[in-house]
Amino acid sequence: MAALSALTAALAPGQPPAPQQLSRAITTLNGVPVVAHRVLFAFRSAPSQAELAAIQALTAASDIEPVGGAGAYVLDSPAMDVGSLMAALADRPDVVNVEPDMVLKIDATPNDRLYPQQWGLQRMSAPSAWDTTIGSRAVVVAEIDTGVQYDHPDLAANIWSAPSAFTLNVGDSTFDCPAGDHGFEILVSYWPSDWACDPGDYENATQDTLDHGTAVAGVIGAVGNNGLDVAGVNWNVGIVPVKACWLEGKQENGEPAPSCDESDVINAIETVIQLKAHFGAQANVVAINMSFSGVNGNPANLEAEIARAQTYGIMVAAATGNECSSSADPPASFDLPNEVAVAASDQNDNVANWGNGQCSNGGGQTAAPGTAIYTTDAVSGVTGGFAGTSAATAFVTGAAALVYSACVLPPHALAEDLINSYDYAPSLQSVSDSRRLNLAYAVQRCTVGTPGTGQIYVSGSECQSCYNYPEVPSSGTIAVTVAFSKYYFYWNADGGETALDTANAIASDINSDPFAVVTASASGDAGSAVVNITSKAKGPETGDFGISVTNTDSCTPPYGGSCAPDPFSVSSDYSGGAS
């Protein structure tokens, strides 16, 4: 009774409420995110202590506090869910405006001047991803390229800076770098004794002498919402420029083009590895951008160095190339778990074609925008003409940093998340297995639920084959939601596919795997079905299984919508089974 007296005394008219720490867990009510165990309501007139005590007793409330100045109250009750609280209060004649405490979404759109022209970010659903995270400067990416104009107004705040002086020994060379260093120059083939750490000399500094690396950096992480020109995938990030490419070597359209020697790139990767090992969290490099490619061959030493990066928690995004080949050039051609091979797409999700015999190579594990990209420029400040698999790769590297800022993932899981988070684009079948990166899905995959839970996405205006789910733990169950869009699935009472049909098909397929057992359930013909996946593994075993669901029913699109391909097939490979 003493506790009730304290509660009602705090809520007496004219008395300020005692500060309380209200609970906050998120649930859904009729599909809408709301705060769990909490409702808002108002009284028809100023409440008495007796009325407050009656409501406290009715709802087992732990807190009842006034909010705002229009007479509303917020009520928390750990013992009752939101629906029960609303029903209980709705029966009281002295109470009005009973409603859940809705979770309102921040619509994150930057105020950068040219953002409306940045079609790539919008195509990949970046604004929805930014509702969850806009990146973090504690998450660092390395860019092996032609250097970066690190004092560019739209980049400077996101360029990594050494917290103290340091020394690195790479190959036969030593970097003795001061505090405030921004990156490195590694050009053994040109100046064997002239490795630099941010000396500030335009000719051999980390500054971008070729106007390529600065454009890449802007895609990854031009400072967002600063009122200047453009926004990057990350509004906040740390970028380490590593200059290992120079204006010499191969020709494009009769003009000299930037090239990078394998030996320099190997040393550049090793420099990044050692930088992370030296500074730890102060140089937490999670990804390396490689917007360059070879022509033929199998550079085994470069492959070994990229594989070595995985042991240091580093993913690599690599460009497939711009020669219209059906396969990826190295290093994108390496089959490594910490690497993502990136093809390029255009505004209409077609294969990027830049004319003069240049278009995106195939062999990509995903695609990203690679035509008419607005980004930072070392000469003019900003450009709207950046193009190629270089641009596409920068989007994927930026996505790696953005996802990592929301979910700390090892490099193989980070790569898998990016590869499997996509919009279905049939025109990209030849270059990326019909996949184009979706930033919102990539962030959502790793943030939905708690460890051990996940979702399979089959909804969205373009996502027809996005079955995504996390590793199944060595014990326990994850609930996987299959959400259907009527614009791509059509089913009816006379034999059309139902949500439960599809859920059962998924369950049947996965049950053939030795490491998982599946049950399926669904309600209604539309909406969602739930598939429960339970690992049967008893130890650190790993197993592979795939999902394959085929819909051979005829499709009559409702409401002017479009149909999925007929037959409609969705598949996804899963590696893990136990962790």
Side-chain angles (χ1 to χ4, degrees), residues 10-15 17 38-48 52 55 63-68 70-76 89 96-99 101:
L11 294 173
Q15 296 294 321
R38 180 185 294 178
V39 292
L40 298 172
F41 69 97
F43 288 98
R44 294 186 183 277
S45 58
S48 65
L52 289 167
I55 288 179
D63 296 287
I64 304 175
E65 297 185 4
V67 291
Y73 284 78
V74 59
L75 181 153
D76 273 55
L89 292 176
V96 294
N97 300 336
V98 181
E99 61 186 16
D101 192 0

PDB file of all heavy atoms in Angstrom, residues 10-15 17 38-48 52 55 63-68 70-76 89 96-99 101:
ATOM      1  N   ALA A  10       2.459  11.115  -6.358  1.00  0.00           N
ATOM      2  CA  ALA A  10       3.246  11.734  -7.430  1.00  0.00           C
ATOM      3  C   ALA A  10       2.348  12.254  -8.526  1.00  0.00           C
ATOM      4  O   ALA A  10       2.710  13.173  -9.254  1.00  0.00           O
ATOM      5  CB  ALA A  10       4.230  10.722  -8.005  1.00  0.00           C
ATOM      6  N   LEU A  11       1.145  11.659  -8.661  1.00  0.00           N
ATOM      7  CA  LEU A  11       0.268  12.057  -9.751  1.00  0.00           C
ATOM      8  C   LEU A  11      -0.839  12.996  -9.308  1.00  0.00           C
ATOM      9  O   LEU A  11      -1.739  13.283 -10.069  1.00  0.00           O
ATOM     10  CB  LEU A  11      -0.352  10.807 -10.382  1.00  0.00           C
ATOM     11  CG  LEU A  11       0.640   9.881 -11.101  1.00  0.00           C
ATOM     12  CD1 LEU A  11      -0.061   8.603 -11.518  1.00  0.00           C
ATOM     13  CD2 LEU A  11       1.204  10.586 -12.322  1.00  0.00           C
ATOM     14  N   ALA A  12      -0.817  13.453  -8.071  1.00  0.00           N
ATOM     15  CA  ALA A  12      -1.848  14.357  -7.601  1.00  0.00           C
ATOM     16  C   ALA A  12      -1.825  15.637  -8.415  1.00  0.00           C
ATOM     17  O   ALA A  12      -0.764  16.121  -8.786  1.00  0.00           O
ATOM     18  CB  ALA A  12      -1.617  14.679  -6.125  1.00  0.00           C
ATOM     19  N   PRO A  13      -2.983  16.199  -8.764  1.00  0.00           N
ATOM     20  CA  PRO A  13      -3.025  17.433  -9.555  1.00  0.00           C
ATOM     21  C   PRO A  13      -2.169  18.517  -8.932  1.00  0.00           C
ATOM     22  O   PRO A  13      -2.186  18.740  -7.722  1.00  0.00           O
ATOM     23  CB  PRO A  13      -4.514  17.793  -9.542  1.00  0.00           C
ATOM     24  CG  PRO A  13      -5.217  16.488  -9.314  1.00  0.00           C
ATOM     25  CD  PRO A  13      -4.319  15.702  -8.417  1.00  0.00           C
ATOM     26  N   GLY A  14      -1.415  19.176  -9.779  1.00  0.00           N
ATOM     27  CA  GLY A  14      -0.571  20.267  -9.325  1.00  0.00           C
ATOM     28  C   GLY A  14       0.771  19.830  -8.810  1.00  0.00           C
ATOM     29  O   GLY A  14       1.606  20.672  -8.471  1.00  0.00           O
ATOM     30  N   GLN A  15       1.019  18.506  -8.710  1.00  0.00           N
ATOM     31  CA  GLN A  15       2.290  18.019  -8.212  1.00  0.00           C
ATOM     32  C   GLN A  15       3.121  17.489  -9.376  1.00  0.00           C
ATOM     33  O   GLN A  15       2.624  16.734 -10.214  1.00  0.00           O
ATOM     34  CB  GLN A  15       2.069  16.882  -7.196  1.00  0.00           C
ATOM     35  CG  GLN A  15       1.331  17.334  -5.959  1.00  0.00           C
ATOM     36  CD  GLN A  15       2.147  18.315  -5.141  1.00  0.00           C
ATOM     37  OE1 GLN A  15       3.358  18.150  -5.015  1.00  0.00           O
ATOM     38  NE2 GLN A  15       1.496  19.335  -4.618  1.00  0.00           N
ATOM     39  N   PRO A  17       5.487  15.016 -11.356  1.00  0.00           N
ATOM     40  CA  PRO A  17       5.718  13.580 -11.177  1.00  0.00           C
ATOM     41  C   PRO A  17       7.152  13.295 -10.797  1.00  0.00           C
ATOM     42  O   PRO A  17       8.069  13.994 -11.197  1.00  0.00           O
ATOM     43  CB  PRO A  17       5.402  13.003 -12.565  1.00  0.00           C
ATOM     44  CG  PRO A  17       5.707  14.133 -13.514  1.00  0.00           C
ATOM     45  CD  PRO A  17       5.322  15.389 -12.765  1.00  0.00           C
ATOM     46  N   ARG A  38       2.877  -0.907 -22.851  1.00  0.00           N
ATOM     47  CA  ARG A  38       2.661   0.518 -22.597  1.00  0.00           C
ATOM     48  C   ARG A  38       1.509   1.038 -23.445  1.00  0.00           C
ATOM     49  O   ARG A  38       1.352   0.644 -24.600  1.00  0.00           O
ATOM     50  CB  ARG A  38       3.919   1.321 -22.921  1.00  0.00           C
ATOM     51  CG  ARG A  38       3.750   2.830 -22.667  1.00  0.00           C
ATOM     52  CD  ARG A  38       4.980   3.619 -23.111  1.00  0.00           C
ATOM     53  NE  ARG A  38       6.136   3.297 -22.298  1.00  0.00           N
ATOM     54  CZ  ARG A  38       7.347   3.813 -22.510  1.00  0.00           C
ATOM     55  NH1 ARG A  38       7.548   4.654 -23.508  1.00  0.00           N
ATOM     56  NH2 ARG A  38       8.352   3.481 -21.730  1.00  0.00           N
ATOM     57  N   VAL A  39       0.702   1.926 -22.856  1.00  0.00           N
ATOM     58  CA  VAL A  39      -0.354   2.608 -23.601  1.00  0.00           C
ATOM     59  C   VAL A  39      -0.383   4.080 -23.201  1.00  0.00           C
ATOM     60  O   VAL A  39       0.135   4.479 -22.151  1.00  0.00           O
ATOM     61  CB  VAL A  39      -1.748   1.987 -23.347  1.00  0.00           C
ATOM     62  CG1 VAL A  39      -1.846   0.593 -23.931  1.00  0.00           C
ATOM     63  CG2 VAL A  39      -2.084   2.001 -21.863  1.00  0.00           C
ATOM     64  N   LEU A  40      -0.999   4.867 -24.056  1.00  0.00           N
ATOM     65  CA  LEU A  40      -1.304   6.264 -23.768  1.00  0.00           C
ATOM     66  C   LEU A  40      -2.824   6.391 -23.616  1.00  0.00           C
ATOM     67  O   LEU A  40      -3.584   5.687 -24.283  1.00  0.00           O
ATOM     68  CB  LEU A  40      -0.830   7.176 -24.909  1.00  0.00           C
ATOM     69  CG  LEU A  40       0.667   7.206 -25.205  1.00  0.00           C
ATOM     70  CD1 LEU A  40       0.929   8.004 -26.474  1.00  0.00           C
ATOM     71  CD2 LEU A  40       1.424   7.802 -24.037  1.00  0.00           C
ATOM     72  N   PHE A  41      -3.250   7.302 -22.763  1.00  0.00           N
ATOM     73  CA  PHE A  41      -4.681   7.544 -22.596  1.00  0.00           C
ATOM     74  C   PHE A  41      -4.872   8.919 -21.962  1.00  0.00           C
ATOM     75  O   PHE A  41      -3.912   9.568 -21.528  1.00  0.00           O
ATOM     76  CB  PHE A  41      -5.331   6.453 -21.732  1.00  0.00           C
ATOM     77  CG  PHE A  41      -4.898   6.486 -20.283  1.00  0.00           C
ATOM     78  CD1 PHE A  41      -5.679   7.120 -19.317  1.00  0.00           C
ATOM     79  CD2 PHE A  41      -3.698   5.895 -19.888  1.00  0.00           C
ATOM     80  CE1 PHE A  41      -5.278   7.154 -17.989  1.00  0.00           C
ATOM     81  CE2 PHE A  41      -3.293   5.929 -18.561  1.00  0.00           C
ATOM     82  CZ  PHE A  41      -4.085   6.564 -17.607  1.00  0.00           C
ATOM     83  N   ALA A  42      -6.122   9.358 -21.933  1.00  0.00           N
ATOM     84  CA  ALA A  42      -6.450  10.626 -21.279  1.00  0.00           C
ATOM     85  C   ALA A  42      -7.722  10.432 -20.449  1.00  0.00           C
ATOM     86  O   ALA A  42      -8.502   9.505 -20.694  1.00  0.00           O
ATOM     87  CB  ALA A  42      -6.640  11.732 -22.309  1.00  0.00           C
ATOM     88  N   PHE A  43      -7.907  11.298 -19.451  1.00  0.00           N
ATOM     89  CA  PHE A  43      -9.141  11.312 -18.666  1.00  0.00           C
ATOM     90  C   PHE A  43     -10.101  12.350 -19.243  1.00  0.00           C
ATOM     91  O   PHE A  43      -9.664  13.358 -19.827  1.00  0.00           O
ATOM     92  CB  PHE A  43      -8.835  11.655 -17.206  1.00  0.00           C
ATOM     93  CG  PHE A  43      -8.147  10.546 -16.456  1.00  0.00           C
ATOM     94  CD1 PHE A  43      -6.770  10.550 -16.293  1.00  0.00           C
ATOM     95  CD2 PHE A  43      -8.883   9.512 -15.904  1.00  0.00           C
ATOM     96  CE1 PHE A  43      -6.127   9.545 -15.592  1.00  0.00           C
ATOM     97  CE2 PHE A  43      -8.259   8.487 -15.193  1.00  0.00           C
ATOM     98  CZ  PHE A  43      -6.880   8.505 -15.037  1.00  0.00           C
ATOM     99  N   ARG A  44     -11.362  12.109 -19.070  1.00  0.00           N
ATOM    100  CA  ARG A  44     -12.363  13.083 -19.523  1.00  0.00           C
ATOM    101  C   ARG A  44     -12.271  14.382 -18.735  1.00  0.00           C
ATOM    102  O   ARG A  44     -12.587  15.458 -19.245  1.00  0.00           O
ATOM    103  CB  ARG A  44     -13.768  12.498 -19.399  1.00  0.00           C
ATOM    104  CG  ARG A  44     -14.001  11.323 -20.336  1.00  0.00           C
ATOM    105  CD  ARG A  44     -15.446  10.852 -20.304  1.00  0.00           C
ATOM    106  NE  ARG A  44     -15.643   9.686 -21.149  1.00  0.00           N
ATOM    107  CZ  ARG A  44     -15.841   9.727 -22.473  1.00  0.00           C
ATOM    108  NH1 ARG A  44     -15.892  10.902 -23.085  1.00  0.00           N
ATOM    109  NH2 ARG A  44     -16.020   8.610 -23.154  1.00  0.00           N
ATOM    110  N   SER A  45     -11.826  14.254 -17.484  1.00  0.00           N
ATOM    111  CA  SER A  45     -11.608  15.437 -16.646  1.00  0.00           C
ATOM    112  C   SER A  45     -10.442  15.132 -15.722  1.00  0.00           C
ATOM    113  O   SER A  45      -9.982  13.990 -15.650  1.00  0.00           O
ATOM    114  CB  SER A  45     -12.866  15.766 -15.829  1.00  0.00           C
ATOM    115  OG  SER A  45     -13.237  14.666 -15.010  1.00  0.00           O
ATOM    116  N   ALA A  46      -9.949  16.142 -15.023  1.00  0.00           N
ATOM    117  CA  ALA A  46      -8.787  15.942 -14.160  1.00  0.00           C
ATOM    118  C   ALA A  46      -9.039  14.788 -13.206  1.00  0.00           C
ATOM    119  O   ALA A  46     -10.057  14.756 -12.496  1.00  0.00           O
ATOM    120  CB  ALA A  46      -8.497  17.219 -13.385  1.00  0.00           C
ATOM    121  N   PRO A  47      -8.138  13.805 -13.149  1.00  0.00           N
ATOM    122  CA  PRO A  47      -8.401  12.602 -12.358  1.00  0.00           C
ATOM    123  C   PRO A  47      -8.178  12.834 -10.865  1.00  0.00           C
ATOM    124  O   PRO A  47      -7.340  13.629 -10.443  1.00  0.00           O
ATOM    125  CB  PRO A  47      -7.371  11.610 -12.905  1.00  0.00           C
ATOM    126  CG  PRO A  47      -6.217  12.483 -13.327  1.00  0.00           C
ATOM    127  CD  PRO A  47      -6.853  13.728 -13.879  1.00  0.00           C
ATOM    128  N   SER A  48      -8.912  12.095 -10.107  1.00  0.00           N
ATOM    129  CA  SER A  48      -8.700  12.069  -8.659  1.00  0.00           C
ATOM    130  C   SER A  48      -7.687  10.981  -8.333  1.00  0.00           C
ATOM    131  O   SER A  48      -7.384  10.111  -9.156  1.00  0.00           O
ATOM    132  CB  SER A  48     -10.014  11.768  -7.943  1.00  0.00           C
ATOM    133  OG  SER A  48     -10.458  10.454  -8.262  1.00  0.00           O
ATOM    134  N   LEU A  52      -6.919   7.260 -10.266  1.00  0.00           N
ATOM    135  CA  LEU A  52      -5.581   6.777 -10.601  1.00  0.00           C
ATOM    136  C   LEU A  52      -5.296   5.446  -9.923  1.00  0.00           C
ATOM    137  O   LEU A  52      -4.727   4.522 -10.523  1.00  0.00           O
ATOM    138  CB  LEU A  52      -4.534   7.811 -10.187  1.00  0.00           C
ATOM    139  CG  LEU A  52      -4.504   9.098 -11.026  1.00  0.00           C
ATOM    140  CD1 LEU A  52      -3.663  10.153 -10.329  1.00  0.00           C
ATOM    141  CD2 LEU A  52      -3.950   8.802 -12.412  1.00  0.00           C
ATOM    142  N   ILE A  55      -7.124   2.581 -11.712  1.00  0.00           N
ATOM    143  CA  ILE A  55      -6.468   2.184 -12.959  1.00  0.00           C
ATOM    144  C   ILE A  55      -5.194   1.401 -12.656  1.00  0.00           C
ATOM    145  O   ILE A  55      -4.880   0.419 -13.333  1.00  0.00           O
ATOM    146  CB  ILE A  55      -6.195   3.414 -13.834  1.00  0.00           C
ATOM    147  CG1 ILE A  55      -7.532   3.910 -14.412  1.00  0.00           C
ATOM    148  CG2 ILE A  55      -5.182   3.119 -14.928  1.00  0.00           C
ATOM    149  CD1 ILE A  55      -7.408   5.134 -15.276  1.00  0.00           C
ATOM    150  N   ASP A  63       4.037   2.163 -13.616  1.00  0.00           N
ATOM    151  CA  ASP A  63       4.190   3.612 -13.759  1.00  0.00           C
ATOM    152  C   ASP A  63       2.964   4.180 -14.447  1.00  0.00           C
ATOM    153  O   ASP A  63       2.473   3.616 -15.435  1.00  0.00           O
ATOM    154  CB  ASP A  63       5.430   3.971 -14.601  1.00  0.00           C
ATOM    155  CG  ASP A  63       6.732   3.544 -13.947  1.00  0.00           C
ATOM    156  OD1 ASP A  63       7.130   4.186 -12.974  1.00  0.00           O
ATOM    157  OD2 ASP A  63       7.328   2.552 -14.426  1.00  0.00           O
ATOM    158  N   ILE A  64       2.472   5.267 -13.936  1.00  0.00           N
ATOM    159  CA  ILE A  64       1.468   6.078 -14.622  1.00  0.00           C
ATOM    160  C   ILE A  64       1.938   7.514 -14.497  1.00  0.00           C
ATOM    161  O   ILE A  64       2.026   8.047 -13.381  1.00  0.00           O
ATOM    162  CB  ILE A  64       0.061   5.936 -14.005  1.00  0.00           C
ATOM    163  CG1 ILE A  64      -0.383   4.474 -13.973  1.00  0.00           C
ATOM    164  CG2 ILE A  64      -0.946   6.779 -14.777  1.00  0.00           C
ATOM    165  CD1 ILE A  64      -1.718   4.255 -13.275  1.00  0.00           C
ATOM    166  N   GLU A  65       2.238   8.131 -15.632  1.00  0.00           N
ATOM    167  CA  GLU A  65       2.790   9.488 -15.586  1.00  0.00           C
ATOM    168  C   GLU A  65       2.124  10.372 -16.625  1.00  0.00           C
ATOM    169  O   GLU A  65       1.797   9.901 -17.727  1.00  0.00           O
ATOM    170  CB  GLU A  65       4.298   9.461 -15.849  1.00  0.00           C
ATOM    171  CG  GLU A  65       5.110   8.713 -14.814  1.00  0.00           C
ATOM    172  CD  GLU A  65       6.605   8.837 -15.069  1.00  0.00           C
ATOM    173  OE1 GLU A  65       6.981   9.572 -15.998  1.00  0.00           O
ATOM    174  OE2 GLU A  65       7.378   8.197 -14.342  1.00  0.00           O
ATOM    175  N   PRO A  66       1.940  11.644 -16.319  1.00  0.00           N
ATOM    176  CA  PRO A  66       1.412  12.569 -17.323  1.00  0.00           C
ATOM    177  C   PRO A  66       2.473  12.843 -18.392  1.00  0.00           C
ATOM    178  O   PRO A  66       3.675  12.851 -18.123  1.00  0.00           O
ATOM    179  CB  PRO A  66       1.102  13.828 -16.517  1.00  0.00           C
ATOM    180  CG  PRO A  66       2.004  13.759 -15.331  1.00  0.00           C
ATOM    181  CD  PRO A  66       2.173  12.304 -15.021  1.00  0.00           C
ATOM    182  N   VAL A  67       2.022  13.041 -19.624  1.00  0.00           N
ATOM    183  CA  VAL A  67       2.920  13.425 -20.710  1.00  0.00           C
ATOM    184  C   VAL A  67       2.315  14.609 -21.441  1.00  0.00           C
ATOM    185  O   VAL A  67       1.107  14.696 -21.638  1.00  0.00           O
ATOM    186  CB  VAL A  67       3.169  12.262 -21.703  1.00  0.00           C
ATOM    187  CG1 VAL A  67       3.991  11.165 -21.061  1.00  0.00           C
ATOM    188  CG2 VAL A  67       1.868  11.698 -22.239  1.00  0.00           C
ATOM    189  N   GLY A  68       3.172  15.545 -21.829  1.00  0.00           N
ATOM    190  CA  GLY A  68       2.687  16.728 -22.527  1.00  0.00           C
ATOM    191  C   GLY A  68       1.842  17.608 -21.629  1.00  0.00           C
ATOM    192  O   GLY A  68       1.829  17.464 -20.400  1.00  0.00           O
ATOM    193  N   ALA A  70      -1.605  18.383 -22.634  1.00  0.00           N
ATOM    194  CA  ALA A  70      -3.004  18.310 -23.047  1.00  0.00           C
ATOM    195  C   ALA A  70      -3.787  17.263 -22.287  1.00  0.00           C
ATOM    196  O   ALA A  70      -4.898  16.907 -22.682  1.00  0.00           O
ATOM    197  CB  ALA A  70      -3.083  18.018 -24.547  1.00  0.00           C
ATOM    198  N   GLY A  71      -3.227  16.751 -21.187  1.00  0.00           N
ATOM    199  CA  GLY A  71      -3.974  15.836 -20.330  1.00  0.00           C
ATOM    200  C   GLY A  71      -3.719  14.370 -20.579  1.00  0.00           C
ATOM    201  O   GLY A  71      -4.428  13.527 -20.019  1.00  0.00           O
ATOM    202  N   ALA A  72      -2.714  14.012 -21.406  1.00  0.00           N
ATOM    203  CA  ALA A  72      -2.443  12.610 -21.680  1.00  0.00           C
ATOM    204  C   ALA A  72      -1.594  11.989 -20.580  1.00  0.00           C
ATOM    205  O   ALA A  72      -0.842  12.674 -19.873  1.00  0.00           O
ATOM    206  CB  ALA A  72      -1.734  12.470 -23.026  1.00  0.00           C
ATOM    207  N   TYR A  73      -1.713  10.661 -20.446  1.00  0.00           N
ATOM    208  CA  TYR A  73      -0.911   9.891 -19.490  1.00  0.00           C
ATOM    209  C   TYR A  73      -0.267   8.709 -20.224  1.00  0.00           C
ATOM    210  O   TYR A  73      -0.814   8.193 -21.214  1.00  0.00           O
ATOM    211  CB  TYR A  73      -1.783   9.358 -18.352  1.00  0.00           C
ATOM    212  CG  TYR A  73      -2.164  10.405 -17.344  1.00  0.00           C
ATOM    213  CD1 TYR A  73      -3.176  11.312 -17.614  1.00  0.00           C
ATOM    214  CD2 TYR A  73      -1.510  10.493 -16.104  1.00  0.00           C
ATOM    215  CE1 TYR A  73      -3.533  12.286 -16.699  1.00  0.00           C
ATOM    216  CE2 TYR A  73      -1.861  11.467 -15.182  1.00  0.00           C
ATOM    217  CZ  TYR A  73      -2.867  12.359 -15.483  1.00  0.00           C
ATOM    218  OH  TYR A  73      -3.214  13.330 -14.568  1.00  0.00           O
ATOM    219  N   VAL A  74       0.877   8.272 -19.736  1.00  0.00           N
ATOM    220  CA  VAL A  74       1.520   7.062 -20.227  1.00  0.00           C
ATOM    221  C   VAL A  74       1.508   6.046 -19.095  1.00  0.00           C
ATOM    222  O   VAL A  74       1.769   6.373 -17.940  1.00  0.00           O
ATOM    223  CB  VAL A  74       2.958   7.327 -20.723  1.00  0.00           C
ATOM    224  CG1 VAL A  74       3.845   7.894 -19.632  1.00  0.00           C
ATOM    225  CG2 VAL A  74       3.582   6.056 -21.295  1.00  0.00           C
ATOM    226  N   LEU A  75       1.154   4.806 -19.435  1.00  0.00           N
ATOM    227  CA  LEU A  75       1.014   3.747 -18.437  1.00  0.00           C
ATOM    228  C   LEU A  75       1.867   2.556 -18.863  1.00  0.00           C
ATOM    229  O   LEU A  75       1.774   2.088 -19.999  1.00  0.00           O
ATOM    230  CB  LEU A  75      -0.448   3.335 -18.314  1.00  0.00           C
ATOM    231  CG  LEU A  75      -0.823   2.257 -17.294  1.00  0.00           C
ATOM    232  CD1 LEU A  75      -2.276   2.437 -16.834  1.00  0.00           C
ATOM    233  CD2 LEU A  75      -0.675   0.830 -17.869  1.00  0.00           C
ATOM    234  N   ASP A  76       2.691   2.069 -17.948  1.00  0.00           N
ATOM    235  CA  ASP A  76       3.493   0.867 -18.166  1.00  0.00           C
ATOM    236  C   ASP A  76       3.011  -0.243 -17.244  1.00  0.00           C
ATOM    237  O   ASP A  76       2.816  -0.019 -16.049  1.00  0.00           O
ATOM    238  CB  ASP A  76       4.970   1.146 -17.876  1.00  0.00           C
ATOM    239  CG  ASP A  76       5.694   1.698 -19.079  1.00  0.00           C
ATOM    240  OD1 ASP A  76       5.250   2.723 -19.629  1.00  0.00           O
ATOM    241  OD2 ASP A  76       6.709   1.107 -19.474  1.00  0.00           O
ATOM    242  N   LEU A  89      -8.727  -0.492 -20.443  1.00  0.00           N
ATOM    243  CA  LEU A  89      -8.986   0.934 -20.263  1.00  0.00           C
ATOM    244  C   LEU A  89     -10.166   1.413 -21.092  1.00  0.00           C
ATOM    245  O   LEU A  89     -10.868   2.363 -20.707  1.00  0.00           O
ATOM    246  CB  LEU A  89      -7.739   1.742 -20.623  1.00  0.00           C
ATOM    247  CG  LEU A  89      -6.550   1.572 -19.676  1.00  0.00           C
ATOM    248  CD1 LEU A  89      -5.345   2.343 -20.185  1.00  0.00           C
ATOM    249  CD2 LEU A  89      -6.916   2.033 -18.261  1.00  0.00           C
ATOM    250  N   VAL A  96     -10.533   8.318 -22.140  1.00  0.00           N
ATOM    251  CA  VAL A  96     -10.673   8.502 -23.586  1.00  0.00           C
ATOM    252  C   VAL A  96      -9.291   8.365 -24.234  1.00  0.00           C
ATOM    253  O   VAL A  96      -8.258   8.341 -23.557  1.00  0.00           O
ATOM    254  CB  VAL A  96     -11.276   9.876 -23.940  1.00  0.00           C
ATOM    255  CG1 VAL A  96     -12.704   9.991 -23.451  1.00  0.00           C
ATOM    256  CG2 VAL A  96     -10.425  11.001 -23.386  1.00  0.00           C
ATOM    257  N   ASN A  97      -9.312   8.293 -25.544  1.00  0.00           N
ATOM    258  CA  ASN A  97      -8.077   8.323 -26.351  1.00  0.00           C
ATOM    259  C   ASN A  97      -7.071   7.250 -25.922  1.00  0.00           C
ATOM    260  O   ASN A  97      -5.869   7.503 -25.792  1.00  0.00           O
ATOM    261  CB  ASN A  97      -7.399   9.695 -26.283  1.00  0.00           C
ATOM    262  CG  ASN A  97      -8.284  10.808 -26.791  1.00  0.00           C
ATOM    263  OD1 ASN A  97      -9.206  10.565 -27.582  1.00  0.00           O
ATOM    264  ND2 ASN A  97      -8.032  12.026 -26.346  1.00  0.00           N
ATOM    265  N   VAL A  98      -7.547   6.029 -25.737  1.00  0.00           N
ATOM    266  CA  VAL A  98      -6.648   4.940 -25.395  1.00  0.00           C
ATOM    267  C   VAL A  98      -5.939   4.467 -26.666  1.00  0.00           C
ATOM    268  O   VAL A  98      -6.588   4.157 -27.676  1.00  0.00           O
ATOM    269  CB  VAL A  98      -7.418   3.764 -24.767  1.00  0.00           C
ATOM    270  CG1 VAL A  98      -6.452   2.652 -24.385  1.00  0.00           C
ATOM    271  CG2 VAL A  98      -8.219   4.240 -23.561  1.00  0.00           C
ATOM    272  N   GLU A  99      -4.642   4.419 -26.629  1.00  0.00           N
ATOM    273  CA  GLU A  99      -3.890   4.044 -27.835  1.00  0.00           C
ATOM    274  C   GLU A  99      -2.519   3.498 -27.453  1.00  0.00           C
ATOM    275  O   GLU A  99      -2.006   3.781 -26.359  1.00  0.00           O
ATOM    276  CB  GLU A  99      -3.721   5.247 -28.758  1.00  0.00           C
ATOM    277  CG  GLU A  99      -2.958   6.400 -28.129  1.00  0.00           C
ATOM    278  CD  GLU A  99      -2.924   7.628 -29.024  1.00  0.00           C
ATOM    279  OE1 GLU A  99      -3.721   7.700 -29.966  1.00  0.00           O
ATOM    280  OE2 GLU A  99      -2.089   8.518 -28.764  1.00  0.00           O
ATOM    281  N   ASP A 101       1.599   3.233 -27.595  1.00  0.00           N
ATOM    282  CA  ASP A 101       2.684   4.205 -27.746  1.00  0.00           C
ATOM    283  C   ASP A 101       3.459   3.821 -29.007  1.00  0.00           C
ATOM    284  O   ASP A 101       4.349   2.977 -28.975  1.00  0.00           O
ATOM    285  CB  ASP A 101       3.591   4.169 -26.513  1.00  0.00           C
ATOM    286  CG  ASP A 101       4.567   5.335 -26.471  1.00  0.00           C
ATOM    287  OD1 ASP A 101       4.540   6.160 -27.395  1.00  0.00           O
ATOM    288  OD2 ASP A 101       5.365   5.398 -25.520  1.00  0.00           O
TER     289      ASP A 101
END
